[in-house]
Amino acid sequence: MKRKLIAAIGIAGMMVSIAACGDSGSGSGSSDKTGADAKELTVWLTVDAQNNWPELVKAADAALTKKHPGIKINHEYYGWPDKNAKLDAVLATDKAPDVVEMGNTEMLGYMVKGAFAPLDPAKFDNSAAWLDGLKASVTYDGKTYGVPYYAGGRVANWRKDVAASVGVKSVPKTYAELTAALDKIQKKEGGKYNAWYQPTRDWYAAMSFVYDAGGSIAQESGGQWKASLSSPESVKGLTEFRHVIDKYMHGDKTKDESDRYIVYGQGRTSMIFAAAWEGATAETPENDKTGKLKGNLENFVMPGPSGKNMPVFLGGSDLAVPVRSKAQTVAAEWINAYTGASGQKGLMAKGNLPNNKTDLATLKNDPATAVPATAAESNWFVPMAPGWGQVEKAQILQTMLQSIGTGKQSVEAAAKDADAAIDKVINVK
């Protein structure tokens, strides 16, 4: 699912109002500053919960009402495109919710501006085992401002029939095996075919190559962040990414990944490295234009050029408590009931990755879930720098990648330009 990063102007203006208002009212009906005796709780979730696991919401409600008899719990559900605009409009008012679901890439800008209350991770199940990338998404300046809810990772997916047509009957375990198989497929299918459909502007995939090579988007030193895409390690990863595009991607090299599953369904490629849902979506009747994909696609853990599994970006959701909430204690209790041990089991049963390594290990033992669980073990997240959440950094990365993929610039030159653009804003609060 695509989640847009928040806009700086709206948050900056909204947070001036929050700072000016201080601790005055949130409408949760509590006389205790911590909200331990709150009589009412308002929870904002996206429609994913409403449509896919409403029973888990009810279970969390039941756990809270058992502990706080008579408490009233209000639920509101929003779609991803309009949630943040509605949230921005109420965060500085008495109508702010007590619990709100956020995309994990949306958290940073709000944490920087002080929109969310700090939380004690010790009060949440399995917090010591939260997946590294998810933990990073709720942590800013040494404090925790949210709780990871669930995650989705990235895997490689290819067509077994196309692989078999060149004599490859099992998924590759190493990068050398992968590229050897793709070389055979590319040669057999011809120059216009995409042995690996890898959209040039897909920065999630490109940064996986960067992190696999030991590079990074940016590094912190002495409290200051500095872009590092032009480091030797990052350049090595970007160079291999360009090699993949040059050798196996023969489509439009100015595209992003938004319609990748559609291209896959049209039979124009034999492999993608993508969010785990994309392969399954490509083989649905409305998307499979070949009539050959159902039951013929296979996920596998993406091997990296380093010899290890490719680090993947973990997308997902977090739950936060707005600083204006007067029900912060019971809000935290509801979050733990929802995202705790029993909640994670329910979310995993719905096909989600859990928020912690302990539960993830159980998925590795099940053949049906072993691939996404194993892939998620090695993960990365965006820099948690104050300026990162305030502008559309994806644009900087996409511009760099398009310049590299189309040959407009060398890897080194494009990376230096990207570093300069990132350095202008990365430390700005």
Side-chain angles (χ1 to χ4, degrees), residues 83-129:
K83 173 187 64 68
N84 283 352
K86 294 180 182 296
L87 179 63
D88 294 352
V90 301
L91 267 179
T93 75
D94 290 343
K95 299 183 184 297
D98 302 299
V99 176
V100 62
E101 177 181 352
M102 304 292 296
N104 60 2
T105 57
E106 299 171 338
M107 286 288 293
L108 181 59
Y110 287 88
M111 294 190 292
V112 170
K113 295 300 181 180
F116 298 143
L119 301 173
D120 180 1
K123 294 183 178 180
F124 299 94
D125 292 356
N126 274 320
S127 60

mmCIF file of all heavy atoms in Angstrom, residues 83-129:
data_model
loop_
_atom_site.group_PDB
_atom_site.id
_atom_site.type_symbol
_atom_site.label_atom_id
_atom_site.label_comp_id
_atom_site.label_asym_id
_atom_site.label_seq_id
_atom_site.Cartn_x
_atom_site.Cartn_y
_atom_site.Cartn_z
ATOM 1 N N LYS A 83 -6.468 10.661 5.722
ATOM 2 C CA LYS A 83 -6.317 10.575 7.174
ATOM 3 C C LYS A 83 -5.519 11.739 7.743
ATOM 4 O O LYS A 83 -5.920 12.359 8.740
ATOM 5 C CB LYS A 83 -5.639 9.258 7.553
ATOM 6 C CG LYS A 83 -5.272 9.147 9.036
ATOM 7 C CD LYS A 83 -4.464 7.904 9.320
ATOM 8 C CE LYS A 83 -3.124 7.894 8.649
ATOM 9 N NZ LYS A 83 -2.200 8.919 9.212
ATOM 10 N N ASN A 84 -4.371 12.047 7.150
ATOM 11 C CA ASN A 84 -3.498 13.056 7.742
ATOM 12 C C ASN A 84 -4.094 14.451 7.696
ATOM 13 O O ASN A 84 -3.893 15.255 8.609
ATOM 14 C CB ASN A 84 -2.125 13.037 7.070
ATOM 15 C CG ASN A 84 -1.286 11.874 7.544
ATOM 16 O OD1 ASN A 84 -1.660 11.168 8.465
ATOM 17 N ND2 ASN A 84 -0.157 11.644 6.903
ATOM 18 N N ALA A 85 -4.836 14.761 6.625
ATOM 19 C CA ALA A 85 -5.481 16.076 6.564
ATOM 20 C C ALA A 85 -6.491 16.225 7.691
ATOM 21 O O ALA A 85 -6.589 17.288 8.321
ATOM 22 C CB ALA A 85 -6.163 16.253 5.208
ATOM 23 N N LYS A 86 -7.235 15.170 7.977
ATOM 24 C CA LYS A 86 -8.209 15.206 9.069
ATOM 25 C C LYS A 86 -7.497 15.289 10.423
ATOM 26 O O LYS A 86 -7.949 15.993 11.334
ATOM 27 C CB LYS A 86 -9.111 13.974 9.004
ATOM 28 C CG LYS A 86 -10.009 13.936 7.770
ATOM 29 C CD LYS A 86 -10.878 12.693 7.761
ATOM 30 C CE LYS A 86 -11.738 12.625 6.498
ATOM 31 N NZ LYS A 86 -12.707 13.742 6.408
ATOM 32 N N LEU A 87 -6.384 14.570 10.546
ATOM 33 C CA LEU A 87 -5.637 14.601 11.799
ATOM 34 C C LEU A 87 -5.047 15.993 12.036
ATOM 35 O O LEU A 87 -5.140 16.535 13.145
ATOM 36 C CB LEU A 87 -4.531 13.555 11.762
ATOM 37 C CG LEU A 87 -3.634 13.465 13.008
ATOM 38 C CD1 LEU A 87 -4.446 13.060 14.232
ATOM 39 C CD2 LEU A 87 -2.504 12.462 12.774
ATOM 40 N N ASP A 88 -4.446 16.573 11.014
ATOM 41 C CA ASP A 88 -3.835 17.895 11.152
ATOM 42 C C ASP A 88 -4.858 18.937 11.592
ATOM 43 O O ASP A 88 -4.539 19.874 12.320
ATOM 44 C CB ASP A 88 -3.199 18.329 9.828
ATOM 45 C CG ASP A 88 -2.018 17.470 9.429
ATOM 46 O OD1 ASP A 88 -1.586 16.636 10.253
ATOM 47 O OD2 ASP A 88 -1.537 17.616 8.298
ATOM 48 N N ALA A 89 -6.088 18.751 11.133
ATOM 49 C CA ALA A 89 -7.133 19.732 11.440
ATOM 50 C C ALA A 89 -7.564 19.715 12.901
ATOM 51 O O ALA A 89 -8.112 20.703 13.394
ATOM 52 C CB ALA A 89 -8.343 19.484 10.535
ATOM 53 N N VAL A 90 -7.321 18.599 13.615
ATOM 54 C CA VAL A 90 -7.828 18.492 14.993
ATOM 55 C C VAL A 90 -6.743 18.344 16.050
ATOM 56 O O VAL A 90 -7.044 18.416 17.241
ATOM 57 C CB VAL A 90 -8.813 17.302 15.124
ATOM 58 C CG1 VAL A 90 -9.986 17.480 14.185
ATOM 59 C CG2 VAL A 90 -8.117 15.967 14.891
ATOM 60 N N LEU A 91 -5.491 18.152 15.659
ATOM 61 C CA LEU A 91 -4.456 17.877 16.648
ATOM 62 C C LEU A 91 -4.282 18.994 17.679
ATOM 63 O O LEU A 91 -3.870 18.736 18.810
ATOM 64 C CB LEU A 91 -3.116 17.613 15.961
ATOM 65 C CG LEU A 91 -2.805 16.149 15.654
ATOM 66 C CD1 LEU A 91 -1.460 16.027 14.948
ATOM 67 C CD2 LEU A 91 -2.807 15.288 16.903
ATOM 68 N N ALA A 92 -4.558 20.217 17.291
ATOM 69 C CA ALA A 92 -4.393 21.331 18.224
ATOM 70 C C ALA A 92 -5.709 21.726 18.881
ATOM 71 O O ALA A 92 -5.810 22.794 19.474
ATOM 72 C CB ALA A 92 -3.802 22.529 17.493
ATOM 73 N N THR A 93 -6.709 20.855 18.816
ATOM 74 C CA THR A 93 -8.028 21.176 19.359
ATOM 75 C C THR A 93 -8.458 20.142 20.390
ATOM 76 O O THR A 93 -7.762 19.153 20.641
ATOM 77 C CB THR A 93 -9.079 21.200 18.227
ATOM 78 O OG1 THR A 93 -9.388 19.839 17.835
ATOM 79 C CG2 THR A 93 -8.574 21.964 17.019
ATOM 80 N N ASP A 94 -9.644 20.359 20.965
ATOM 81 C CA ASP A 94 -10.203 19.412 21.918
ATOM 82 C C ASP A 94 -10.754 18.161 21.232
ATOM 83 O O ASP A 94 -11.257 17.256 21.902
ATOM 84 C CB ASP A 94 -11.328 20.084 22.723
ATOM 85 C CG ASP A 94 -10.793 21.138 23.671
ATOM 86 O OD1 ASP A 94 -9.579 21.111 23.941
ATOM 87 O OD2 ASP A 94 -11.575 21.987 24.119
ATOM 88 N N LYS A 95 -10.703 18.111 19.920
ATOM 89 C CA LYS A 95 -11.228 16.963 19.175
ATOM 90 C C LYS A 95 -10.131 15.982 18.762
ATOM 91 O O LYS A 95 -10.373 15.058 17.999
ATOM 92 C CB LYS A 95 -11.978 17.454 17.932
ATOM 93 C CG LYS A 95 -13.182 18.337 18.238
ATOM 94 C CD LYS A 95 -13.914 18.712 16.967
ATOM 95 C CE LYS A 95 -15.057 19.663 17.269
ATOM 96 N NZ LYS A 95 -16.086 19.046 18.123
ATOM 97 N N ALA A 96 -8.931 16.173 19.269
ATOM 98 C CA ALA A 96 -7.838 15.257 18.927
ATOM 99 C C ALA A 96 -8.157 13.855 19.434
ATOM 100 O O ALA A 96 -8.670 13.687 20.540
ATOM 101 C CB ALA A 96 -6.534 15.739 19.544
ATOM 102 N N PRO A 97 -7.867 12.814 18.641
ATOM 103 C CA PRO A 97 -8.092 11.445 19.109
ATOM 104 C C PRO A 97 -7.092 11.087 20.203
ATOM 105 O O PRO A 97 -6.093 11.789 20.404
ATOM 106 C CB PRO A 97 -7.862 10.606 17.850
ATOM 107 C CG PRO A 97 -6.897 11.417 17.038
ATOM 108 C CD PRO A 97 -7.271 12.847 17.281
ATOM 109 N N ASP A 98 -7.354 10.003 20.891
ATOM 110 C CA ASP A 98 -6.441 9.529 21.937
ATOM 111 C C ASP A 98 -5.452 8.502 21.400
ATOM 112 O O ASP A 98 -4.360 8.341 21.937
ATOM 113 C CB ASP A 98 -7.243 8.931 23.096
ATOM 114 C CG ASP A 98 -8.210 9.939 23.685
ATOM 115 O OD1 ASP A 98 -7.747 10.978 24.184
ATOM 116 O OD2 ASP A 98 -9.437 9.703 23.623
ATOM 117 N N VAL A 99 -5.850 7.793 20.354
ATOM 118 C CA VAL A 99 -4.979 6.834 19.664
ATOM 119 C C VAL A 99 -5.144 7.080 18.173
ATOM 120 O O VAL A 99 -6.269 7.244 17.695
ATOM 121 C CB VAL A 99 -5.361 5.374 19.991
ATOM 122 C CG1 VAL A 99 -4.497 4.398 19.172
ATOM 123 C CG2 VAL A 99 -5.239 5.087 21.469
ATOM 124 N N VAL A 100 -4.037 7.115 17.438
ATOM 125 C CA VAL A 100 -4.131 7.304 15.997
ATOM 126 C C VAL A 100 -3.150 6.368 15.292
ATOM 127 O O VAL A 100 -2.022 6.167 15.743
ATOM 128 C CB VAL A 100 -3.867 8.771 15.598
ATOM 129 C CG1 VAL A 100 -2.463 9.211 15.985
ATOM 130 C CG2 VAL A 100 -4.111 8.989 14.114
ATOM 131 N N GLU A 101 -3.611 5.769 14.207
ATOM 132 C CA GLU A 101 -2.746 4.922 13.379
ATOM 133 C C GLU A 101 -2.003 5.789 12.377
ATOM 134 O O GLU A 101 -2.594 6.641 11.716
ATOM 135 C CB GLU A 101 -3.565 3.872 12.643
ATOM 136 C CG GLU A 101 -2.729 2.999 11.706
ATOM 137 C CD GLU A 101 -3.542 1.954 10.953
ATOM 138 O OE1 GLU A 101 -4.738 1.783 11.259
ATOM 139 O OE2 GLU A 101 -2.962 1.316 10.053
ATOM 140 N N MET A 102 -0.699 5.534 12.258
ATOM 141 C CA MET A 102 0.142 6.268 11.321
ATOM 142 C C MET A 102 0.918 5.285 10.449
ATOM 143 O O MET A 102 1.352 4.233 10.928
ATOM 144 C CB MET A 102 1.160 7.126 12.082
ATOM 145 C CG MET A 102 0.571 8.095 13.092
ATOM 146 S SD MET A 102 -0.384 9.429 12.351
ATOM 147 C CE MET A 102 0.885 10.276 11.408
ATOM 148 N N GLY A 103 1.113 5.627 9.182
ATOM 149 C CA GLY A 103 2.078 4.891 8.390
ATOM 150 C C GLY A 103 3.453 5.134 8.981
ATOM 151 O O GLY A 103 3.740 6.249 9.457
ATOM 152 N N ASN A 104 4.328 4.134 8.987
ATOM 153 C CA ASN A 104 5.587 4.336 9.708
ATOM 154 C C ASN A 104 6.479 5.403 9.085
ATOM 155 O O ASN A 104 7.305 5.999 9.784
ATOM 156 C CB ASN A 104 6.341 3.017 9.931
ATOM 157 C CG ASN A 104 6.708 2.289 8.662
ATOM 158 O OD1 ASN A 104 6.451 2.750 7.554
ATOM 159 N ND2 ASN A 104 7.303 1.115 8.810
ATOM 160 N N THR A 105 6.321 5.702 7.793
ATOM 161 C CA THR A 105 7.094 6.792 7.205
ATOM 162 C C THR A 105 6.474 8.152 7.515
ATOM 163 O O THR A 105 7.075 9.183 7.222
ATOM 164 C CB THR A 105 7.214 6.634 5.677
ATOM 165 O OG1 THR A 105 5.911 6.575 5.108
ATOM 166 C CG2 THR A 105 8.002 5.392 5.317
ATOM 167 N N GLU A 106 5.289 8.152 8.092
ATOM 168 C CA GLU A 106 4.621 9.404 8.451
ATOM 169 C C GLU A 106 4.979 9.892 9.860
ATOM 170 O O GLU A 106 4.714 11.037 10.213
ATOM 171 C CB GLU A 106 3.101 9.230 8.375
ATOM 172 C CG GLU A 106 2.574 8.877 7.015
ATOM 173 C CD GLU A 106 1.102 8.512 7.026
ATOM 174 O OE1 GLU A 106 0.575 8.135 8.096
ATOM 175 O OE2 GLU A 106 0.478 8.610 5.954
ATOM 176 N N MET A 107 5.547 9.033 10.669
ATOM 177 C CA MET A 107 5.749 9.341 12.082
ATOM 178 C C MET A 107 6.722 10.492 12.337
ATOM 179 O O MET A 107 6.508 11.329 13.222
ATOM 180 C CB MET A 107 6.261 8.101 12.824
ATOM 181 C CG MET A 107 5.223 7.031 13.074
ATOM 182 S SD MET A 107 4.016 7.482 14.332
ATOM 183 C CE MET A 107 5.033 7.524 15.820
ATOM 184 N N LEU A 108 7.797 10.543 11.591
ATOM 185 C CA LEU A 108 8.918 11.410 11.950
ATOM 186 C C LEU A 108 8.531 12.878 12.062
ATOM 187 O O LEU A 108 8.853 13.548 13.050
ATOM 188 C CB LEU A 108 10.062 11.239 10.959
ATOM 189 C CG LEU A 108 11.309 12.078 11.231
ATOM 190 C CD1 LEU A 108 11.886 11.766 12.607
ATOM 191 C CD2 LEU A 108 12.348 11.845 10.150
ATOM 192 N N GLY A 109 7.850 13.410 11.049
ATOM 193 C CA GLY A 109 7.495 14.826 11.069
ATOM 194 C C GLY A 109 6.664 15.202 12.276
ATOM 195 O O GLY A 109 6.836 16.284 12.852
ATOM 196 N N TYR A 110 5.786 14.308 12.682
ATOM 197 C CA TYR A 110 4.951 14.571 13.848
ATOM 198 C C TYR A 110 5.755 14.484 15.144
ATOM 199 O O TYR A 110 5.530 15.248 16.079
ATOM 200 C CB TYR A 110 3.777 13.574 13.877
ATOM 201 C CG TYR A 110 2.729 13.849 12.833
ATOM 202 C CD1 TYR A 110 2.829 13.312 11.555
ATOM 203 C CD2 TYR A 110 1.634 14.650 13.111
ATOM 204 C CE1 TYR A 110 1.876 13.562 10.588
ATOM 205 C CE2 TYR A 110 0.672 14.911 12.159
ATOM 206 C CZ TYR A 110 0.786 14.369 10.889
ATOM 207 O OH TYR A 110 -0.156 14.635 9.934
ATOM 208 N N MET A 111 6.681 13.531 15.207
ATOM 209 C CA MET A 111 7.515 13.415 16.406
ATOM 210 C C MET A 111 8.404 14.644 16.565
ATOM 211 O O MET A 111 8.564 15.175 17.669
ATOM 212 C CB MET A 111 8.368 12.137 16.337
ATOM 213 C CG MET A 111 7.561 10.856 16.382
ATOM 214 S SD MET A 111 8.577 9.355 16.601
ATOM 215 C CE MET A 111 9.475 9.271 15.052
ATOM 216 N N VAL A 112 8.991 15.114 15.465
ATOM 217 C CA VAL A 112 9.869 16.269 15.509
ATOM 218 C C VAL A 112 9.131 17.491 16.032
ATOM 219 O O VAL A 112 9.668 18.285 16.815
ATOM 220 C CB VAL A 112 10.462 16.553 14.112
ATOM 221 C CG1 VAL A 112 11.183 17.899 14.082
ATOM 222 C CG2 VAL A 112 11.411 15.440 13.699
ATOM 223 N N LYS A 113 7.879 17.654 15.618
ATOM 224 C CA LYS A 113 7.093 18.828 15.995
ATOM 225 C C LYS A 113 6.389 18.683 17.340
ATOM 226 O O LYS A 113 5.681 19.585 17.777
ATOM 227 C CB LYS A 113 6.069 19.136 14.897
ATOM 228 C CG LYS A 113 6.684 19.541 13.571
ATOM 229 C CD LYS A 113 7.532 20.801 13.700
ATOM 230 C CE LYS A 113 8.127 21.214 12.370
ATOM 231 N NZ LYS A 113 8.962 22.434 12.493
ATOM 232 N N GLY A 114 6.568 17.543 18.009
ATOM 233 C CA GLY A 114 5.990 17.380 19.340
ATOM 234 C C GLY A 114 4.519 17.039 19.368
ATOM 235 O O GLY A 114 3.832 17.295 20.366
ATOM 236 N N ALA A 115 4.011 16.430 18.292
ATOM 237 C CA ALA A 115 2.578 16.131 18.224
ATOM 238 C C ALA A 115 2.167 14.926 19.062
ATOM 239 O O ALA A 115 1.005 14.811 19.445
ATOM 240 C CB ALA A 115 2.171 15.892 16.771
ATOM 241 N N PHE A 116 3.109 14.026 19.341
ATOM 242 C CA PHE A 116 2.777 12.792 20.051
ATOM 243 C C PHE A 116 3.425 12.757 21.428
ATOM 244 O O PHE A 116 4.521 13.274 21.635
ATOM 245 C CB PHE A 116 3.220 11.571 19.239
ATOM 246 C CG PHE A 116 2.551 11.443 17.907
ATOM 247 C CD1 PHE A 116 3.247 10.981 16.803
ATOM 248 C CD2 PHE A 116 1.210 11.779 17.745
ATOM 249 C CE1 PHE A 116 2.630 10.860 15.570
ATOM 250 C CE2 PHE A 116 0.587 11.668 16.513
ATOM 251 C CZ PHE A 116 1.295 11.210 15.428
ATOM 252 N N ALA A 117 2.735 12.104 22.351
ATOM 253 C CA ALA A 117 3.241 11.963 23.715
ATOM 254 C C ALA A 117 4.296 10.857 23.771
ATOM 255 O O ALA A 117 4.148 9.821 23.102
ATOM 256 C CB ALA A 117 2.093 11.626 24.662
ATOM 257 N N PRO A 118 5.348 11.033 24.553
ATOM 258 C CA PRO A 118 6.321 9.953 24.721
ATOM 259 C C PRO A 118 5.698 8.780 25.469
ATOM 260 O O PRO A 118 4.840 8.968 26.333
ATOM 261 C CB PRO A 118 7.446 10.604 25.529
ATOM 262 C CG PRO A 118 6.822 11.771 26.207
ATOM 263 C CD PRO A 118 5.721 12.246 25.312
ATOM 264 N N LEU A 119 6.123 7.574 25.106
ATOM 265 C CA LEU A 119 5.595 6.358 25.713
ATOM 266 C C LEU A 119 6.733 5.561 26.344
ATOM 267 O O LEU A 119 7.889 5.663 25.898
ATOM 268 C CB LEU A 119 4.895 5.500 24.655
ATOM 269 C CG LEU A 119 3.722 6.155 23.904
ATOM 270 C CD1 LEU A 119 3.241 5.241 22.778
ATOM 271 C CD2 LEU A 119 2.573 6.468 24.858
ATOM 272 N N ASP A 120 6.400 4.766 27.334
ATOM 273 C CA ASP A 120 7.378 3.886 27.981
ATOM 274 C C ASP A 120 7.326 2.532 27.293
ATOM 275 O O ASP A 120 6.359 1.786 27.458
ATOM 276 C CB ASP A 120 7.043 3.737 29.464
ATOM 277 C CG ASP A 120 8.029 2.823 30.190
ATOM 278 O OD1 ASP A 120 8.974 2.320 29.545
ATOM 279 O OD2 ASP A 120 7.839 2.608 31.410
ATOM 280 N N PRO A 121 8.341 2.179 26.510
ATOM 281 C CA PRO A 121 8.285 0.908 25.772
ATOM 282 C C PRO A 121 8.165 -0.307 26.676
ATOM 283 O O PRO A 121 7.656 -1.348 26.252
ATOM 284 C CB PRO A 121 9.597 0.895 24.979
ATOM 285 C CG PRO A 121 10.479 1.893 25.640
ATOM 286 C CD PRO A 121 9.579 2.925 26.230
ATOM 287 N N ALA A 122 8.611 -0.195 27.926
ATOM 288 C CA ALA A 122 8.536 -1.331 28.851
ATOM 289 C C ALA A 122 7.099 -1.748 29.131
ATOM 290 O O ALA A 122 6.849 -2.859 29.608
ATOM 291 C CB ALA A 122 9.240 -0.987 30.159
ATOM 292 N N LYS A 123 6.143 -0.882 28.834
ATOM 293 C CA LYS A 123 4.739 -1.186 29.097
ATOM 294 C C LYS A 123 4.061 -1.913 27.937
ATOM 295 O O LYS A 123 2.857 -2.165 27.993
ATOM 296 C CB LYS A 123 3.987 0.105 29.418
ATOM 297 C CG LYS A 123 4.441 0.756 30.730
ATOM 298 C CD LYS A 123 3.621 1.989 31.066
ATOM 299 C CE LYS A 123 4.061 2.583 32.401
ATOM 300 N NZ LYS A 123 3.277 3.793 32.754
ATOM 301 N N PHE A 124 4.834 -2.251 26.904
ATOM 302 C CA PHE A 124 4.247 -2.892 25.731
ATOM 303 C C PHE A 124 4.898 -4.250 25.482
ATOM 304 O O PHE A 124 6.119 -4.392 25.562
ATOM 305 C CB PHE A 124 4.402 -1.982 24.506
ATOM 306 C CG PHE A 124 3.713 -0.665 24.681
ATOM 307 C CD1 PHE A 124 4.416 0.441 25.149
ATOM 308 C CD2 PHE A 124 2.359 -0.534 24.433
ATOM 309 C CE1 PHE A 124 3.792 1.651 25.351
ATOM 310 C CE2 PHE A 124 1.716 0.674 24.636
ATOM 311 C CZ PHE A 124 2.419 1.773 25.098
ATOM 312 N N ASP A 125 4.058 -5.229 25.194
ATOM 313 C CA ASP A 125 4.521 -6.597 24.979
ATOM 314 C C ASP A 125 5.610 -6.658 23.917
ATOM 315 O O ASP A 125 5.489 -6.042 22.851
ATOM 316 C CB ASP A 125 3.356 -7.491 24.543
ATOM 317 C CG ASP A 125 2.325 -7.709 25.634
ATOM 318 O OD1 ASP A 125 2.552 -7.217 26.761
ATOM 319 O OD2 ASP A 125 1.291 -8.350 25.351
ATOM 320 N N ASN A 126 6.653 -7.433 24.200
ATOM 321 C CA ASN A 126 7.709 -7.727 23.228
ATOM 322 C C ASN A 126 8.441 -6.502 22.704
ATOM 323 O O ASN A 126 9.062 -6.555 21.638
ATOM 324 C CB ASN A 126 7.135 -8.522 22.034
ATOM 325 C CG ASN A 126 7.122 -10.011 22.304
ATOM 326 O OD1 ASN A 126 8.055 -10.548 22.887
ATOM 327 N ND2 ASN A 126 6.058 -10.671 21.898
ATOM 328 N N SER A 127 8.388 -5.377 23.425
ATOM 329 C CA SER A 127 9.045 -4.160 22.929
ATOM 330 C C SER A 127 10.557 -4.340 22.793
ATOM 331 O O SER A 127 11.184 -3.737 21.912
ATOM 332 C CB SER A 127 8.742 -2.976 23.845
ATOM 333 O OG SER A 127 9.197 -3.223 25.163
ATOM 334 N N ALA A 128 11.143 -5.177 23.641
ATOM 335 C CA ALA A 128 12.585 -5.411 23.559
ATOM 336 C C ALA A 128 12.955 -6.156 22.280
ATOM 337 O O ALA A 128 14.125 -6.152 21.869
ATOM 338 C CB ALA A 128 13.069 -6.196 24.770
ATOM 339 N N ALA A 129 11.961 -6.775 21.650
ATOM 340 C CA ALA A 129 12.211 -7.564 20.438
ATOM 341 C C ALA A 129 11.600 -6.929 19.192
ATOM 342 O O ALA A 129 11.514 -7.582 18.150
ATOM 343 C CB ALA A 129 11.657 -8.982 20.616
#
